[in-house]
Amino acid sequence: MKKNIIKIFVIVIIFFVVTNSYANNIVYIDMDYILNQSIKGKNISQILENENKTKTDKLNEIEENLNIEEKKIISKKNLLNDDEFRKLIQEFQIKINNFNSEKKIAINLLNKKKINLTKDFINQINPIFIEFAEKNSISIILKKKDIIMGDSSLDKTLELLNLVNEKINDK
């Protein structure tokens, strides 16, 4: 009976020693930094910023025209009878609703594009991370934002940023 307990004890100790030796190769990266500071990440940000500016300018122009139209309708209030004025207000309200719908659609499309571009970029950099982990015998790569405290020597963000810039040459 004592021999069995000793065997089990030895097996448990060996298991923990082997497990701990494999778990020692842990690093962390700042994924947001890589996504925002890599060449491709900056290109994605520029594309989204340009599209946002174009759409915002267009929507601002429409909104300005609606404001002018609203002032014209208000100025006609005393010149028109109640039915005609009510009809103008209803038509204007339809235009406002259409504008709000168009604005909402534009925001949703831009958000979907941002998500898709980011997702595609992450799919491109994942194999780079896997290759880096294999070459450096790394067991786990964690996100920096999930780390409360860690040794700065375990931060491999800049190394991976350089690899991403080197291997993904979208300009």
Side-chain angles (χ1 to χ4, degrees):
M1 179 74 177
K2 286 185 174 185
K3 287 184 179 183
N4 287 338
I5 292 175
I6 292 173
K7 286 180 184 178
I8 292 174
F9 183 71
V10 169
I11 290 172
V12 169
I13 289 176
I14 290 173
F15 174 76
F16 281 115
V17 169
V18 170
T19 304
N20 285 338
S21 68
Y22 284 113
N24 286 335
N25 297 328
I26 298 173
V27 298
Y28 60 91
I29 59 169
D30 187 345
M31 191 67 172
D32 292 333
Y33 186 82
I34 291 173
L35 292 176
N36 293 323
Q37 297 302 316
S38 64
I39 294 169
K40 181 157 186 173
K42 288 179 181 179
N43 289 341
I44 290 171
S45 295
Q46 188 65 43
I47 289 168
L48 293 171
E49 188 177 311
N50 290 342
E51 284 190 28
N52 185 38
K53 184 176 180 349
T54 302
K55 199 60 172 171
T56 301
D57 290 345
K58 180 182 173 189
L59 290 172
N60 286 341
E61 183 180 328
I62 293 170
E63 188 174 20
E64 184 64 34
N65 290 336
L66 287 172
N67 286 334
I68 292 169
E69 186 175 343
E70 179 184 27
K71 289 176 184 176
K72 287 180 183 178
I73 291 172
I74 290 172
S75 69
K76 293 179 182 180
K77 181 178 181 179
N78 294 332
L79 301 174
L80 301 173
N81 65 34
D82 287 342
D83 290 334
E84 291 172 342
F85 185 69
R86 209 173 288 122
K87 184 178 177 184
L88 279 176
I89 289 177
Q90 287 174 345
E91 290 172 357
F92 182 71
Q93 188 62 42
I94 290 171
K95 289 180 183 179
I96 294 289
N97 290 340
N98 289 340
F99 170 75
N100 288 334
S101 295
E102 184 178 339
K103 187 176 181 179
K104 186 176 180 181
I105 289 169
I107 290 169
N108 287 338
L109 287 174
L110 191 63
N111 286 337
K112 283 182 184 178
K113 185 166 189 169
K114 179 181 181 180
I115 289 168
N116 288 335
L117 288 173
T118 304
K119 182 179 172 184
D120 290 343
F121 184 39
I122 289 172
N123 287 337
Q124 287 181 330
I125 63 177
N126 276 340
I128 296 169
F129 291 176
I130 292 169
E131 181 183 335
F132 179 80
E134 288 173 355
K135 281 184 180 178
N136 295 294
S137 301
I138 295 171
S139 304
I140 299 173
I141 299 176
L142 301 171
K143 290 183 183 176
K144 186 175 184 176
K145 69 179 181 181
D146 296 332
I147 305 293
I148 296 173
M149 187 175 75
D151 186 359
S152 61
S153 67
L154 298 176
D155 186 355
K156 300 298 180 188
T157 302
L158 294 177
E159 289 178 50
L160 282 165
L161 176 65
N162 291 333
L163 276 174
V164 167
N165 284 337
E166 181 182 308
K167 295 195 181 229
I168 300 176
N169 295 322
D170 291 353
K171 296 199 177 192

